[in-house]
Each structure stands twice: as C-alpha cells, then as structure tokens.
Amino acid sequence: MGLVACLAAGSHLVRLAAVFTLAWTHSVQKSEWRETWRATPAGLVLDAVRVEGSGAGMEPPDGAVLEGGFYVAHPTLPPQAQVLLRRSGATTDWRVCMEGHCRPMGELLPTDLEPADLDPVRLTTCE
C-alpha cells in the first residue's frame, strides 16, 4: 500500500494519506492556519504553510507571499519523526484534509477511546 501519514491515539493507529493538510482556527485571532505535510521515508515533511491574516501569534512565516487571501510559505523544517497535536477541547478541533475533503480530527479517531488517549494525538509515518 505504501508509506502514508497516520494518527496515533492510545493504541489506535488511523491511516491518513501520503499527503494531507492539517488546518485549525486560532482561538483568539479567528484566522485559519493550514499546513500541508508529506510522508517520506525520513519522516513527515512540511511542504507548505498557509496563514489567513496575521496577529495574536499568527504571523506569517519568513518569505511568505500573499496568495488568495493567505500568506503562503515553504519552510525548510527537517523531516519530523512525529508531530504532537494537543486536543484540549477548549478550542475547535483540528481538521484533517485529504483529497479536497476536510474532517474534524475527532471524526477520524475511534469513539471508544478514553479522554486521556485523545490528547495528545501523534502524527507519524506508517506503512
């Protein structure tokens, strides 16, 4: 099947896709932030960041260019073995976008998990 990204919550592993976008809305600024990630043998690679506006800690990355209402940048972060995602419940959930469709992360995770298994969630690569 090939290398893809996975969500790991507790002992559960949820397969995503080789390329996906992680999106969220800042709790104060109400601006959207999107990160496009790619699964590689070296780890997860951040291909692009898109930030809607700026302020309240949502400054566009260095070198960002305004395109279609979003500041777009292509960071040079090294591949990541994992990315930890906190899910406090105090803000709206992360959205995971694949093949043009976005879903709240909670819809992708098993419903039988204990609250302690839902925070944090790890993004990793898997076969």
Side-chain angles (χ1 to χ4, degrees):
M1 178 137 193
L3 192 65
V4 296
C6 283
L7 292 175
S11 62
H12 295 278
L13 200 63
V14 180
R15 294 173 58 82
L16 299 178
V19 177
F20 68 97
T21 297
L22 187 63
W24 66 94
T25 302
H26 190 278
S27 60
V28 174
Q29 189 65 26
K30 306 301 182 203
S31 297
E32 187 173 13
W33 186 288
R34 300 175 189 169
E35 295 179 345
T36 301
W37 291 86
R38 180 173 37 92
T40 73
L44 294 169
V45 173
L46 179 59
D47 282 336
V49 173
R50 292 170 176 78
V51 182
E52 181 184 44
S54 63
M58 296 282 291
E59 289 76 25
D62 289 338
V65 176
L66 187 59
E67 295 176 7
F70 284 82
Y71 290 95
V72 179
H74 302 280
T76 57
L77 187 68
Q80 304 293 298
Q82 68 176 356
V83 176
L84 290 178
L85 304 172
R86 301 306 311 237
R87 300 182 72 234
S88 69
T91 60
T92 58
D93 203 1
W94 301 91
R95 292 180 311 284
V96 179
C97 307
M98 297 175 288
E99 300 175 359
H101 298 14
C102 297
R103 295 171 57 188
M105 184 178 291
E107 289 182 9
L108 300 170
L109 298 172
T111 58
D112 63 340
L113 292 177
E114 296 294 324
D117 290 332
L118 295 173
D119 180 50
V121 171
R122 290 182 301 116
L123 278 172
T124 63
T125 58
C126 61
E127 292 285 332

